[in-house]
């Protein structure tokens, strides 16, 4: 009698275990992309290979995009399995235009191949390069976005409403991005070493920002705070509200 029940429970346990194994057999797209692109919203194809995850992992897809006025866009993209407790989708604009632009998109999801976004056109539409006539003329900054050190950083005229020359580097690790360094120089209204709005991670990547900056106008604090919080219309139009985090949280 006791024997029969033990076996019965053992069978149930084994059935449960094999069911558990099957449902945990999550497959995700996996890949790493590091590019400088002219128009990634149109040309970047984020399709990747496939890997099988360990239990307790989810699929993730994360992209960090960095551009200065007149430069190409640095695209830093990671897909794969990642240890994570919760599904989530975030879009963060760390530095809004004019001048430097830094945004990220990150998605953790729990269905096979759910990290299958292939285009970034929905959330990457930076304003057209500003015509020279709208440059304020007096202000110029060394300008470059490079994977590694800048080989050159021409002094370019700044767009209106920018007040600072930013010069810094971002060092990434995790999410397949170990030892990736991006150098960034350009005009911005943003004050200080805050290209990443002092945040230290993007999806599975950690980001360390180091920089020096020089102000070439007396910082006018009220005005600079206002432009810091400006959310350009091109983002608001393109994203469902759930994707937009309140920017003031990061200001
Ligand atoms: C992911 O899905 C599996 C199978 O449906 C479930 O057991 C697990 O708890 C889910 N994980 C998360 C973090 O939602
Ligand atoms: C990306 O490439 C894949 C495979 O080559 C293709 O199926 C897909 O349509 C492409 N997506 C875009 C947005 O071009
Ligand atoms: C500069 O900022 C002012 C005030 O915020 C705004 O009215 C103006 O349109 C901006 N100029 C440009 C070129 O963006």
């Amino acid at each position: 009698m006791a024997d029969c029940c033990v076996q019965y429970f053992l069978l149930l346990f084994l059935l449960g275990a094999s069911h558990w194994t099957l449902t945990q057999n999550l497959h995700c797209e996996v890949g790493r992309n590091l590019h400088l692109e002219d128009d990634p919203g149109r040309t970047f194809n984020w399709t990747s290979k496939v890997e099988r995850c360990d239990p307790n992992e989810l699929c993730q897809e994360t992209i960090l995009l960095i551009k200065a006025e007149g430069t190409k866009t640095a695209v830093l993209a990671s897909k794969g399995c990642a240890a994570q407790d919760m599904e989530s989708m975030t879009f963060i604009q760390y530095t809004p235009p004019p001048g430097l632009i830094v945004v990220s998109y990150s998605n953790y999801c729990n269905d096979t191949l759910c990290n299958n976004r292939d285009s970034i056109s929905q959330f990457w539409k930076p304003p057209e390069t500003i015509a020279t006539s709208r440059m304020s003329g007096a202000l110029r900054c060394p300008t470059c976005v490079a994977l590694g050190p800048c080989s050159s950083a021409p002094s370019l005229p700044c767009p209106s409403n920018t007040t600072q020359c930013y010069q810094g580097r971002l060092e990434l690790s995790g999410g397949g991005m170990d030892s990736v360094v991006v150098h960034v120089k350009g005009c911005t209204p943003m004050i200080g070493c805050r290209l990443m709005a002092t945040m230290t991670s993007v999806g599975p990547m950690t980001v360390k920002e180091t920089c020096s900056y020089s102000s070439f106008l007396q910082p006018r604090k009220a005005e600079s705070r206002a432009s810091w919080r400006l959310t350009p219309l091109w983002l608001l139009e393109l994203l469902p509200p759930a994707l937009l985090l309140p920017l003031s949280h990061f200001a």
Side-chain angles (χ1 to χ4, degrees):
M1 186 77 175
D3 256 312
C4 103
C5 294
V6 167
Q7 278 172 16
Y8 178 65
F9 281 117
L10 187 62
L11 180 63
L12 272 186
F13 175 75
L14 287 174
L15 281 174
S18 67
H19 178 67
W20 185 83
T21 311
L22 280 176
T23 55
Q24 287 297 314
N25 199 6
L26 186 64
H27 287 75
C28 304
E29 290 198 9
V30 59
R32 177 187 97 142
N33 296 84
L34 297 174
H35 294 292
L36 283 176
E37 299 213 3
D38 283 317
D39 187 3
R42 207 167 47 78
T43 56
F44 180 59
N45 189 331
W46 204 358
T47 313
S48 305
K49 291 184 295 194
V50 174
E51 73 175 348
R52 185 179 148 174
C53 299
D54 293 332
N56 302 320
E57 288 186 323
L58 299 182
C59 297
Q60 69 84 19
E61 53 190 351
T62 300
I63 191 164
L64 180 65
L65 296 150
I66 305 167
K67 186 183 185 310
E69 181 73 29
T71 68
K72 295 187 179 195
T73 303
V75 177
L76 305 143
S78 158
K79 289 193 184 206
C81 302
Q84 185 77 1
D85 302 333
M86 260 176 46
E87 296 183 80
S88 65
M89 189 183 282
T90 50
F91 177 87
I92 300 175
Q93 179 180 240
Y94 308 90
T95 301
L100 294 170
I101 306 172
V102 182
V103 302
S104 78
Y105 161 85
S106 184
N107 177 27
Y108 286 91
C109 54
N110 194 16
D111 292 303
T112 281
L113 302 184
C114 59
N115 61 339
N116 60 358
R117 183 175 282 279
D118 63 353
S119 158
I120 59 169
S121 60
Q122 266 186 305
F123 54 83
W124 182 250
K125 293 213 173 163
E128 297 286 310
T129 294
I130 294 165
T132 318
S133 60
R134 284 177 58 207
M135 303 286 187
S136 44
L139 318 174
R140 303 175 79 92
C141 292
T143 301
C144 114
V145 172
L147 304 172
C150 296
S151 56
S152 73
S155 176
L156 299 183
C158 292
S160 303
N161 292 357
T162 57
T163 53
Q164 321 285 326
C165 288
Y166 174 94
Q167 303 204 20
R169 65 200 281 279
L170 302 178
E171 194 175 335
L172 278 67
S173 50
M177 294 287 172
D178 290 334
S179 309
V180 172
V181 177
V182 187
H183 286 247
V184 181
K185 301 183 183 190
C187 315
T188 179
M190 175 258 305
I191 293 179
C193 195
R194 301 185 53 156
L195 191 67
M196 295 298 296
T198 71
M199 297 183 77
T200 53
S201 66
V202 181
M205 311 172 216
T206 59
V207 184
K208 188 175 159 217
E209 177 179 359
T210 47
C211 66
S212 60
Y213 76 100
S214 58
S215 166
F216 45 76
L217 290 182
Q218 282 301 101
R220 282 165 298 176
K221 282 227 158 75
E223 199 177 298
S224 301
R225 298 288 302 174
S227 46
W228 172 253
R229 290 193 178 171
L230 192 73
T231 304
L233 289 175
W234 57 270
L235 286 172
L236 288 174
E237 277 165 11
L238 288 158
L239 289 169
L243 281 185
L244 273 175
L245 295 186
L247 285 170
S248 51
H249 284 189
F250 305 104

